[in-house]
Amino acid sequence: MTQSDIQSVRLSNGKTAKVHTYLFINNEFVPGHGPLIETINPANEEVICKVHSADNSDVDKAVDSAYDCFQNNWRKVAPSERGRLINKLADLMERDIDELALLDALDNGKAFTVARDVDIRESIGCYRYFAGWSDKIHGKTIDTTPDKMTYTRHEALGVVGAVIPWNYPTMMAAWKFAPALATGNCIVMKSSELTPLSILKFGELVKEAGFPPGVINIITGFGHTTGQHLSTHPKISKMAFTGSTVTGRRIMEASSNSNLKKLQLELGGKSAQIVCADADLENAAFWACGGIFNNHGQSCNAGSRIFVHESVHDKFLELFIAETKKIKIGDPFAEDTFQGPQISKPQFDKILSYIEIGKKEGAKVAFGGQRWGKKGYYIEPTVLINCHNKMKMMREEIFGPVVGIGKFSTVEEAIELANDSDYGLAGCVYTKDINTAIHVTNEVKAGTMWVNCFDVFDQSTPFGGYKQSGFGKELGKYALQEYTQVKTVKYYINKL
């Protein structure tokens, strides 16, 4: 079956939009040779459109395009010019911010206002931040002995392969595109087959910005086919992946069995929020609520385990439920919507099953716990109490609007509970005591720790996990290390 690239799609508010459905390779939209994939509107369970997917030959074409461009063009472009192009791309995203947000809201189900004011704006900021780094990446001169001159070069890796998830389509792409481009790499990115529309629109902006053909290539397809071939491709020097720990293991195996690619893996999480006895409980309830229910609970760093000191548990719970009741669920295009639908029917079913498992294991539903509405993959924000770490729903990543709340007696016990997890992506502590804050943040094994807040990001601060939450850093100066390799150069100086 064939179809044209541009398709007209209908939004839940009755308006229509134009979308790309082909692959973006070598600065052109081209049909794929894999099966057409239906992308579903999670707000009404209807098909938005069908997009082309990449088979092995398409992956090869995208990688060859990137490889040829790197060898013959992009690596020779002045760093300041790379920065100018990245800034131009950010300008175009700013111009088309409403359209990008519309596509994320349509495809993912997140609130349009959140997509526009948070996801897309933060993505634009990410491109601007790394554009500034483009001409500031350099090595060092090293004084060794009088008869040698030694220096290091920080060189691009070549072609980067990237696989991004469906929860933050535009933002997760930015976190990989921006540092890869700033450091002089070309890139082939596979979008999630569930949310390809906004990143294909991004391809249109890449060409308009004036990037050379082949620098950026965007393909869509399933992980076990398209993603697998990309992960094993011999011309790919690095794989950058955000997604589940299970898939992260497969990418590690693919790297091992192919050309020992450099890897950067940002994987699952089961982050703990610790509410101490001296905490400002109103502040803690406000941040803890956002920490789990932002993006419908579909965040790898979601604070899905809350441990509260036994002396303030009941008061905190009262305040937390009051905050949860403020959440407005509904149509992603309604101005006051905070929580839209979950991404898909399988994810919807999985989340509800975890709620039932929690109840069978002894947890009590203090709020929510049901489907919301009759159409769309909506689930009420759900608060489970009487929870402990032996429960399946407290150990496994649910990836939905479900939080488990338990008690602790001492700070040391809280630290032990927080660390009793296979994951280590993030966490936080709510306390007025700076000594407690420093002690807890030092002792909890997680890549990011917040104090008296949660889910606060800046372009300049690194993000990445411990343990089975992966390795490598996104954002900040640390991210540059993920996309470069260091070469040592030594000159022997003949004595005159």
Side-chain angles (χ1 to χ4, degrees):
M1 176 181 178
T2 59
Q3 64 177 31
S4 61
D5 173 36
I6 301 294
Q7 297 288 309
S8 179
V9 300
R10 183 170 295 278
L11 313 182
S12 56
N13 59 9
K15 297 181 179 180
T16 59
K18 301 290 186 181
V19 298
H20 288 283
T21 63
Y22 281 8
L23 312 177
F24 183 74
I25 298 175
N26 208 41
N27 270 15
E28 300 294 339
F29 286 97
V30 296
H33 296 87
L36 291 176
I37 297 176
E38 291 183 343
T39 179
I40 306 296
N41 182 343
N44 58 21
E45 305 177 45
E46 296 175 2
V47 175
I48 301 170
C49 64
K50 295 179 181 180
V51 297
H52 281 236
S53 68
D55 69 2
N56 288 358
S57 69
D58 297 314
V59 174
D60 292 342
K61 182 179 178 182
V63 174
D64 286 343
S65 171
Y67 186 82
D68 290 344
C69 178
F70 177 77
Q71 292 296 331
N72 301 311
N73 188 335
W74 189 238
R75 68 190 181 99
K76 302 174 184 178
V77 171
S80 59
E81 174 64 5
R82 295 201 302 263
R84 186 193 69 79
L85 287 169
I86 298 169
N87 267 321
K88 176 63 174 176
L89 190 54
D91 291 342
L92 295 175
M93 291 179 69
E94 205 143 30
R95 182 196 69 189
D96 293 352
I97 190 170
D98 284 350
E99 186 176 355
L100 289 165
L102 179 153
L103 295 175
D104 267 0
L106 174 65
D107 225 4
N108 171 276
K110 66 177 63 195
F112 169 78
T113 54
V114 173
R116 181 193 61 204
D117 299 338
V118 180
D119 290 26
I120 311 301
R121 290 207 181 276
E122 288 296 314
S123 299
I124 293 168
C126 182
Y127 286 106
R128 296 207 187 282
Y129 173 82
F130 283 105
W133 270 113
S134 295
D135 58 359
K136 302 171 187 66
I137 300 166
H138 51 75
K140 299 178 180 180
T141 57
I142 303 171
D143 192 6
T144 55
T145 61
D147 60 348
K148 291 192 292 291
M149 182 178 74
T150 305
Y151 61 90
T152 59
R153 288 169 48 85
H154 291 207
E155 298 183 343
L157 299 170
V159 181
V160 172
V163 176
I164 58 171
W166 45 259
N167 55 339
Y168 295 94
T170 299
M171 189 183 294
M172 290 298 97
W175 284 18
K176 291 169 174 55
F177 274 139
L181 296 172
T183 49
N185 296 280
C186 293
I187 188 165
V188 178
M189 180 172 288
K190 188 194 87 67
S191 70
S192 168
E193 69 276 10
L194 299 176
T195 53
L197 300 182
S198 61
I199 194 64
L200 289 173
K201 164 64 180 179
F202 179 83
E204 177 186 303
L205 303 184
V206 167
K207 185 173 183 178
E208 184 179 351
F211 280 86
V215 174
I216 294 173
N217 302 272
I218 300 165
I219 58 177
T220 300
F222 298 108
H224 67 280
T225 52
T226 308
Q228 175 68 16
H229 191 60
L230 184 65
S231 300
T232 57
H233 203 288
K235 289 184 180 177
I236 295 288
S237 299
K238 171 196 169 160
M239 284 298 298
F241 171 73
T242 297
S244 72
T245 299
V246 171
T247 304
R249 291 179 185 276
R250 292 182 185 137
I251 289 176
M252 287 188 73
E253 184 178 357
S255 171
S256 174
N257 290 335
S258 55
N259 58 338
L260 289 179
K261 297 170 178 65
K262 186 171 183 174
L263 296 176
Q264 179 183 1
L265 304 177
E266 198 263 273
L267 308 177
K270 198 69 182 174
S271 301
Q273 305 192 66
I274 297 172
V275 183
C276 296
D278 69 334
D280 178 335
L281 296 182
E282 289 187 357
N283 178 74
F286 171 81
W287 284 103
C289 183
I292 174 59
F293 297 127
N294 283 345
N295 206 45
H296 328 164
Q298 297 174 148
S299 299
C300 49
N301 62 282
S304 54
R305 297 183 299 152
I306 302 179
F307 299 111
V308 187
H309 191 273
E310 57 192 8
S311 66
V312 295
H313 174 274
D314 292 350
K315 181 61 177 175
F316 171 81
L317 181 62
E318 176 187 336
L319 292 168
F320 184 83
I321 290 177
E323 287 291 337
T324 305
K325 287 180 177 179
K326 297 176 184 178
I327 293 174
K328 174 67 168 63
I329 310 174
D331 182 352
F333 291 97
E335 195 68 23
D336 59 347
T337 293
F338 177 78
Q339 181 179 321
Q342 308 310 128
I343 184 65
S344 66
K345 183 63 162 62
Q347 188 67 15
F348 171 85
D349 291 339
K350 173 189 168 185
I351 294 166
L352 290 177
S353 72
Y354 269 107
I355 295 171
E356 291 305 311
I357 289 169
K359 289 159 62 175
K360 290 176 182 177
E361 290 180 326
K364 178 183 176 182
V365 177
F367 186 81
Q370 303 292 326
R371 176 176 190 158
W372 184 88
K374 296 181 179 179
K375 195 171 187 180
Y377 307 129
Y378 292 92
I379 295 177
E380 296 173 336
T382 299
V383 182
L384 298 175
I385 59 174
N386 303 333
C387 298
H388 55 79
N389 269 357
K390 292 184 179 179
M391 292 178 172
K392 183 175 182 180
M393 53 79 56
M394 291 288 276
R395 302 204 67 81
E396 298 182 6
E397 188 176 39
I398 300 175
F399 226 65
V402 180
V403 65
I405 300 179
K407 300 178 183 179
F408 67 88
S409 300
T410 67
V411 170
E412 295 305 319
E413 181 189 0
I415 293 170
E416 184 178 345
L417 290 169
N419 285 334
D420 181 22
S421 172
D422 292 333
Y423 300 108
L425 191 52
C428 78
V429 57
Y430 301 98
T431 178
K432 296 176 183 176
D433 188 328
I434 191 170
N435 293 313
T436 300
I438 292 173
H439 178 59
V440 173
T441 55
N442 283 351
E443 294 301 315
V444 172
K445 296 180 176 65
T448 295
M449 286 295 294
W450 289 287
V451 179
N452 295 327
C453 61
F454 200 95
D455 223 8
V456 177
F457 287 87
D458 294 283
Q459 309 301 338
S460 57
T461 53
F463 180 74
Y466 285 15
K467 301 190 282 188
Q468 292 187 42
S469 290
F471 48 81
K473 296 297 180 184
E474 313 261 26
L475 302 179
K477 184 178 179 181
Y478 290 87
L480 302 174
Q481 300 172 13
E482 304 293 334
Y483 292 90
T484 55
Q485 51 197 346
V486 178
K487 176 184 287 182
T488 301
V489 179
K490 288 178 179 283
Y491 279 87
Y492 176 74
I493 302 172
N494 290 316
K495 294 180 181 179
L496 297 177

